[in-house]
Amino acid sequence: MADLNVLIAFDAATIVEQNPNASRNPDAPTYADHSLIYMTTRHDHIVGTSGAELNLRAEPGDSIRWRETTLSLGSDYKALLYKYVSSDTGHQLVRTPETYHFYFQILDRHRQLKGYFQWDPFITIENP
């Protein structure tokens, strides 16, 4: 069993610019444009290329740890994951296909909330 770190980089400045009236309700976040969100992991676990969609190699029992950052490296904005919602009625964490959402908030450099957002990542996991 291995720990796989997946880095999610948000283009927070553009997300905020495109959503000036973003939700202030954490239970009803605004949908973010998935093309402004990039995911990657170590090269030996990526199948194809990384980006808005991620196809990675993992084995049963591996743990995936989600890490977040912004393209501004936190100097102008911070993005924080605060909720993961799975629409999987079988209570499995990953299967094909599975619908899930990540919820995140964006704060400015003064820690003022710019909005609550969500997106539906497209992630596939293959056995090595």
Side-chain angles (χ1 to χ4, degrees), residues 1-2 6 9 29 36 49 53 61 64 80 85 91 93 110 122:
M1 290 191 287
V6 174
L36 300 174
T49 59
E53 299 179 5
I64 298 176
L80 303 169
V85 177
H91 303 292
L93 290 181
H110 306 291
F122 185 80

Side-chain angles (χ1 to χ4, degrees), residues 74-115:
S75 61
D76 292 325
Y77 295 103
K78 289 190 179 294
L80 303 169
L81 295 170
Y82 69 90
K83 190 174 184 181
Y84 166 83
V85 177
S86 173
S87 299
D88 180 11
T89 58
H91 303 292
Q92 297 174 346
L93 290 181
V94 176
R95 65 176 174 81
T96 304
E98 178 191 276
T99 301
Y100 46 96
H101 314 275
F102 280 114
Y103 289 27
F104 63 99
Q105 61 182 312
I106 295 179
L107 307 172
D108 68 14
R109 70 174 61 172
H110 306 291
R111 297 186 183 259
Q112 296 297 312
L113 178 69
K114 302 308 284 185

Side-chain angles (χ1 to χ4, degrees), residues 6 9 13-14 16 21 33 37 41 43 54 58 64 68 74 76-78 83 89 97 105 124-125:
V6 174
T14 305
V16 168
N21 298 313
D33 181 348
I37 302 167
T41 189
H43 74 289
L54 183 63
I64 298 176
E68 68 273 279
D76 292 325
Y77 295 103
K78 289 190 179 294
K83 190 174 184 181
T89 58
Q105 61 182 312
T124 57
I125 300 175

Side-chain angles (χ1 to χ4, degrees), residues 3-10 34 36-57 63-71 81 102 119 121-124:
D3 289 330
L4 303 173
N5 291 304
V6 174
L7 180 66
I8 304 167
F10 297 93
H34 76 277
L36 300 174
I37 302 167
Y38 313 91
M39 297 177 288
T40 192
T41 189
R42 288 183 11 193
H43 74 289
D44 58 335
H45 289 285
I46 292 179
V47 178
T49 59
S50 57
E53 299 179 5
L54 183 63
N55 188 351
L56 60 92
R57 288 185 184 94
S63 295
I64 298 176
R65 295 183 183 177
W66 305 96
R67 310 287 189 215
E68 68 273 279
T69 190
T70 62
L71 296 181
L81 295 170
F102 280 114
W119 102 100
F122 185 80
I123 302 166
T124 57

